[in-house]
Amino acid sequence: MKQELKLTLSLPKSVNFIYGRNKFGSTYLKKEGKDYKAKAVKYIKEETNNQDWTRLKAEEYCYLDTIVYMNKKGRDSDNLFKLIQDSISDSETVWEDDTFALSRTNRVYIDSENPRVELIITPTSTI
């Protein structure tokens, strides 16, 4: 059976709201982004353990299939991946580097009651 990791994360705010720039032009993660990431990292570590996930090797590609449940129309689903992928990387349990994650948004729905991102991570044979 092929390894597969299923995660359901709360919908993060857009990168436009969670990252800021200082007076020198450097980008930084705002408090709200740090809080989201800390909660996500804890959840990801628990799920990789619960689902008996084996961490991918260096330079091993994987698909990051997503179904996004937006809280309102007009949001850009591509703006969600930066913080999600950074959180997965920071967990240090899924992959070594998100450079090798091939993101694919399969569906986008509106669910104002329970906005979320459902992810399925599967290794590929691509090297």
Side-chain angles (χ1 to χ4, degrees):
M1 187 169 115
K2 191 171 187 177
Q3 179 172 235
E4 172 178 277
L5 178 64
K6 294 181 180 182
L7 302 170
T8 302
L9 295 168
S10 61
L11 189 69
K13 288 207 171 180
S14 168
V15 293
N16 301 327
F17 294 101
I18 57 169
Y19 288 95
R21 291 204 181 269
N22 64 22
K23 64 182 180 180
F24 305 107
S26 297
T27 303
Y28 67 94
L29 187 60
K30 294 179 182 177
K31 182 185 181 324
E32 187 173 2
K34 288 178 184 177
D35 292 346
Y36 178 92
K37 189 186 274 193
K39 186 177 177 183
V41 165
K42 182 177 186 271
Y43 165 74
I44 294 163
K45 285 181 176 183
E46 290 170 359
E47 285 304 307
T48 54
N49 186 46
N50 292 342
Q51 296 180 45
D52 201 27
W53 174 262
T54 303
R55 185 178 185 207
L56 300 175
K57 296 177 182 84
E59 300 184 15
E60 187 175 359
Y61 282 87
C62 65
Y63 291 120
L64 180 61
D65 289 308
T66 61
I67 298 176
V68 181
Y69 294 84
M70 294 289 196
N71 54 343
K72 61 183 179 179
K73 286 185 179 181
R75 287 201 57 189
D76 183 357
S77 63
D78 291 337
N79 277 341
L80 307 174
F81 290 112
K82 174 72 175 140
L83 188 57
I84 289 173
Q85 287 184 226
D86 286 351
S87 298
I88 294 170
S89 293
D90 286 359
S91 78
E92 299 180 343
T93 58
V94 178
W95 55 51
E96 287 195 26
D97 188 347
D98 64 355
T99 302
F100 301 100
L102 307 171
S103 300
R104 304 186 299 189
T105 303
N106 296 326
R107 298 255 192 251
V108 178
Y109 298 107
I110 304 299
D111 185 349
S112 57
E113 299 295 316
N114 185 22
R116 64 196 180 280
V117 179
E118 294 179 355
L119 306 148
I120 299 175
I121 301 170
T122 52
T124 71
S125 58
T126 304
I127 299 173

